Amino acid sequence: MSRTGWALVAVLAAAAATLPWLIGSTVCDTNSAGVTVCKDGPALGVPGAVLATFWLSVIAIVAAIQALKKN
């Protein structure tokens, strides 16, 4: 792949690494007193969002290194 292609992959993966945290969901639960409590969080859950962010960051770093390598 060309340097431009690797650079594009790096930028897209870095941008995608933020998506698991931006796409959220609200979970509501009613406690024993009858009060409904809602919490906002990532749609994948925190462990899923951390894992997705980690791997997308790895892809971004590897692609950036490939883009910076001399042919």
Side-chain angles (χ1 to χ4, degrees):
M1 191 181 316
S2 69
R3 293 175 100 183
T4 305
W6 281 114
L8 182 61
V9 169
V11 169
L12 291 175
T18 63
L19 289 179
W21 298 100
L22 296 176
I23 300 171
S25 65
T26 302
V27 177
C28 295
D29 190 25
T30 303
N31 63 17
S32 59
V35 177
T36 301
V37 179
C38 296
K39 293 182 181 178
D40 290 331
L44 297 174
V46 173
V50 169
L51 194 61
T53 300
F54 171 77
W55 285 113
L56 287 166
S57 298
V58 168
I59 292 169
I61 291 167
V62 169
I65 290 169
Q66 291 295 323
L68 295 172
K69 276 187 177 178
K70 293 185 179 180
N71 292 339

